[in-house]
Structures are given as C-alpha cells and as structure tokens.
Amino acid sequence: MDKFRMIFQFFQSNQESFMNGICGIMALASTQMYSAFDFNCPCLPQFNMAYGLGILLVPPFILFLLGFVLNNNISMLAEEWRRPQGQRGKDPAVLRYMFCSMAQRAMIAPAVWVSVTLLDGKCITCAFCTSVPVETLSNASYPLLSQEEIQRVLARIPCKEIYNGQELIANEVAIRYLRCISQALGWCFVLLMTTLAFLVRSLRPCFSQAAFLKSRYWSHYIDIERKLFDETCAEHARSFAKVCIQQFFESMSTDLVAAHCHLPRKASADAGEASKKLLGITDQGTMNMALKSWHRCKPPLHLHPPALPSGNGWAGEGQPPMHPSAPRRETAAYYSLV
C-alpha cells in the first residue's frame, strides 16, 4: 500500500505527472480491451478488409480523442487560443508547445493498440486473407477455379470451422504466412515509434533549448495562473455567500431582538473578516464585470517594482548608480631623531 500511495502522490505532484499517469493507465486499458475483445472475422470477400482495418485503425482514433478529452489542458489551450488580445499578447510558441505536449501523450494509447494488434496478427489475417499468393502456396494439382470462387475460398481462411479449401491451400500455411507479415509490421512500428521518441527527446535540446524552456515555463505559468484564479474566485464566492447569509439572518432577527434575545458578537466579527476578503466587490454586477475584464484584457506579465528610497538612499528605475570611488592617497611621514 505504501508503494501505491507513493505512486499516487507522484501522479498528483504536478499537472505533467498527472497526465503521464493518465496516459499510462490508458495504455494498459487499451491492452486489456484488446485481450477482452472477441474478434470475429466475417469471412466474406466484401467485408473482410473493412472489418480488419476498422479494428486496427478505428479504436486508436477513439483512444486518441479520449486522450485529448481526459487532458485538462485542452480547455486551457482553447481558452488561450480564442481569448481576445487584451493587454497580454498571445505567444504562438506556447500554444504549439501545449498542443504538441497533449498530442504526444494522447498518442501513447493508440500506439500501444496498433502495436498489440499487429503483433497478434488477427486483423491483418482477416483484412488480407484474399491477397495470399495462391500461385506460390497453393496446391498445383487442385482443379482450376474462377477468380470469384478462389476469393470466396480464401476469405474463409480466418474461420477454421467453415474453411473448405484445404486442397487449394492449407489453412495453417496461409495463417502463418499472414501472421509473420503482421508481426514484422508490428516490430517495425514499435521500432519506428521508439526511434522517433528517442530523436525527439535527445535532439530537441540541441537545437532550440532556450525556446523550449521559455515555452514550457509560460505553459506552466498559464496552468498555475488558471488554478490560482479559480481558487481566488472560490474563496471570494465563499466569503460573499457567508456575508449574504449572515446579513439575511441579521435582517430576520428583529423578532429575537423584540424578545430580548441578544445576538452573539462572533457573527459580526466573522462577517467583518469575510467582508475584508471581498476586496470591494460586493455585488453581482461588479463581479461579472471583473470576470469579463479578466477574460478580455488579462493584466500584462510585468510586475511593477516597489518604490525605491529617495532620501539618504538611491533612487532610479534601473540599477543603483555606481560612482567610481576616488583613488586613495597614501602618504608617508618620515621622522628623524636629531
């Protein structure tokens, strides 16, 4: 349990670790889904290829979209892309970094599905069973058949229980032939994905490390800023609701005052503390105006420096003035005893 707790805490440490954990879970889920999936090839010349390629390509596309849906940054990316210019400019490099980061994580589960499917070989066997080289693998003594009849016989290769072309081509031979091709494609796909990941991880710092660091920094900043804004709004809403509720009960306390029942002073003290957190925003229209202003013209990313002392200190906009020190004179006195 301690190990699982440590892993869970690592996933919750930051947004990037959390999304890596989600993508890992999705990758494991894709393998479990494929192992639990009941693959049934239709064994018809018109539908074999559509069914086999559909199982190979459609679930990865769904997993890719699901990876974007489960990523919390997709709404942040859309908001940052669609918001007005306002007082803060939009950096296309940051938007590209956010999209590429989400796309890379969303590609993990589809890549696992395609790899497992190709290594298993059922989809390729179903899709391309009618393309088996009959001239090479078939029995030469088998009576001649028309092309349609041969296609109909070959389409039943994935279905051993209804296959009736053992005299034309052995079922085990055709399946082994197609499975070898599928496994070769699967290992090539795994090698290609691993090579691309290695090149991206190793060569990217060699060319644009400074731009990568800036994009990554401001991407994290947008995420943290959004979280802090949500927390601040939630705290303001809590204080606003607390003051509204206390004012409501105070307005309804006339009957208690008439009955010589004194209200506790703690309520007024709590209301005063909650009022301080409202920061002057005490009505719905002002709050709506503040939210619209935050969306339309976010404050620029420039922190105003504090005022510098001007009395006995130094004053200026930049660095303190550096006065060159005067050269120190050294004098020597000689005394003689007469």
Side-chain angles (χ1 to χ4, degrees), residues 238-297:
R238 181 180 179 85
S239 302
F240 192 87
K242 189 173 184 179
V243 173
C244 286
I245 292 172
Q246 289 177 350
Q247 289 181 356
F248 170 76
F249 280 99
E250 288 176 359
S251 64
M252 297 296 293
S253 63
T254 55
D255 296 338
L256 296 177
V257 174
H260 304 286
C261 295
H262 300 285
L263 294 176
R265 296 181 179 179
K266 184 179 180 182
S268 60
D270 292 343
E273 293 179 359
S275 299
K276 294 180 181 179
K277 297 180 180 180
L278 295 179
L279 300 176
I281 304 177
T282 56
D283 60 272
Q284 184 179 5
T286 308
M287 189 62 198
N288 291 337
M289 186 182 302
L291 295 175
K292 291 179 181 178
S293 177
W294 175 262
H295 172 69
R296 293 178 180 176
C297 50

Side-chain angles (χ1 to χ4, degrees), residues 1-14:
M1 291 299 295
D2 294 336
K3 294 182 179 180
F4 286 106
R5 190 180 296 109
M6 292 176 60
I7 295 174
F8 186 71
Q9 291 176 356
F10 172 75
F11 286 158
Q12 285 187 328
S13 59
N14 52 55

Side-chain angles (χ1 to χ4, degrees), residues 42-253:
C43 295
L44 296 173
Q46 301 86 359
F47 304 103
N48 279 9
M49 181 171 292
Y51 182 81
L53 295 182
I55 298 300
L56 179 64
L57 301 177
V58 174
F61 180 73
I62 297 175
L63 292 173
F64 181 73
L65 295 180
L66 187 62
F68 272 101
V69 171
L70 295 179
N71 199 320
N72 295 330
N73 292 337
I74 185 65
S75 59
M76 182 177 64
L77 174 62
E79 179 183 353
E80 183 68 16
W81 178 48
R82 293 295 300 171
R83 71 172 177 85
Q85 188 77 11
Q87 299 181 7
R88 181 190 303 179
K90 293 184 287 186
D91 191 356
V94 177
L95 299 179
R96 286 195 301 268
Y97 171 81
M98 295 169 62
F99 179 79
C100 293
S101 178
M102 288 186 293
Q104 289 175 6
R105 292 185 176 92
M107 283 293 296
I108 295 177
V112 172
W113 177 277
V114 174
S115 302
V116 173
T117 305
L118 290 177
L119 292 176
D120 185 55
K122 292 180 181 178
C123 291
I124 298 298
T125 302
C126 180
F128 298 99
C129 58
T130 56
S131 301
V132 174
V134 181
E135 298 80 5
T136 305
L137 303 177
S138 64
N139 186 6
S141 61
Y142 192 76
L144 297 177
L145 298 175
S146 64
Q147 190 66 24
E148 295 181 358
E149 293 176 350
I150 293 177
Q151 293 292 321
R152 191 179 300 109
V153 171
L154 295 179
R156 298 178 182 178
I157 288 177
C159 307
K160 296 182 179 180
E161 60 277 3
I162 62 173
Y163 182 67
N164 55 356
Q166 288 292 133
E167 293 80 5
L168 175 63
I169 182 174
N171 181 269
E172 293 79 6
V173 174
I175 291 179
R176 180 169 297 183
Y177 173 81
L178 294 173
R179 184 167 294 177
C180 289
I181 296 177
S182 179
Q183 290 179 353
L185 293 175
W187 285 117
C188 291
F189 180 79
V190 173
L191 179 61
L192 178 63
M193 292 292 103
T194 306
T195 305
L196 288 177
F198 171 76
L199 292 177
V200 170
R201 288 288 185 176
S202 59
L203 297 182
R204 182 172 55 184
C206 299
F207 296 98
S208 59
Q209 180 66 10
F212 171 74
L213 290 177
K214 289 190 294 184
S215 302
R216 184 176 182 179
Y217 175 84
W218 291 116
S219 174
H220 292 336
Y221 173 84
I222 294 174
D223 184 26
I224 295 172
E225 184 186 51
R226 185 186 185 188
K227 290 181 180 179
L228 291 178
F229 184 78
D230 291 342
E231 293 175 0
T232 305
C233 289
E235 184 178 359
H236 185 277
R238 181 180 179 85
S239 302
F240 192 87
K242 189 173 184 179
V243 173
C244 286
I245 292 172
Q246 289 177 350
Q247 289 181 356
F248 170 76
F249 280 99
E250 288 176 359
S251 64
M252 297 296 293
S253 63

Side-chain angles (χ1 to χ4, degrees), residues 322-327:
M322 302 295 293
H323 299 286
S325 58

